Amino acid sequence: MPKPLLLALLLCTAACTPKFERPNLTVVGIEMRSGNFVQQNLRVKLNIQNPNDRALPVRGLHASLSVEGEPIAEGQNDRPFIVPAKGDVDFDVLITANMALALLKLANKMDLHADSIDYDVSGAANIDLPFLRALPFHQTGSLSLKGMQ
């Protein structure tokens, strides 16, 4: 293939490829649903914001939760949903945890009269697009211990 023709083909391909901005995924909240000393069920509410001109089809999502650096929970959402173009969607991931270690960390923080305890939520959303298969996320934060001491 002649070089000018190859260059023209590459330029056309680059111009025809739609511009895609990476969606933003954030943790909106974490809520204890049920549990006992051995096992707890938590609901992690997430939000995906889609800045693109095309809808974002999500096939599912998996997530893990750490407290004070210790992994305590994992879960997933296998229910597909669509994030509209230039829109956002809140959705829940139910995770199961063994909070015994987290409770020890919590007790230690309370003994030290700390105001909060740190958490970390990470994972990935499975996207049904040819150029984006997984959308990883990672968010840290802290939960207030005021009123618990």
Side-chain angles (χ1 to χ4, degrees), residues 59-142:
R59 290 186 311 211
L61 180 134
H62 69 274
S64 62
L65 172 67
S66 296
V67 174
E68 289 296 314
E70 296 289 337
I72 62 162
E74 290 189 11
Q76 63 186 30
N77 176 348
D78 292 328
R79 200 175 86 217
F81 58 92
I82 295 177
V83 184
K86 301 283 187 189
D88 69 304
V89 169
D90 285 346
F91 62 97
D92 296 335
V93 176
L94 297 177
I95 60 176
T96 302
N98 182 336
M99 298 280 284
L101 184 57
L103 291 174
L104 290 174
K105 296 274 186 183
L106 177 63
N108 185 43
K109 283 284 198 172
M110 291 176 77
D111 285 345
L112 296 173
H113 302 289
D115 292 333
S116 63
I117 189 165
D118 296 332
Y119 72 88
D120 180 290
V121 178
S122 61
N126 301 320
I127 309 299
D128 196 14
L129 292 174
F131 53 90
L132 180 67
R133 291 292 183 193
L135 176 61
F137 62 90
H138 181 238
Q139 182 174 339
T140 59
S142 59

Side-chain angles (χ1 to χ4, degrees), residues 1-10:
M1 183 177 287
K3 286 187 181 182
L5 185 57
L6 181 61
L7 182 60
L9 182 61
L10 287 174

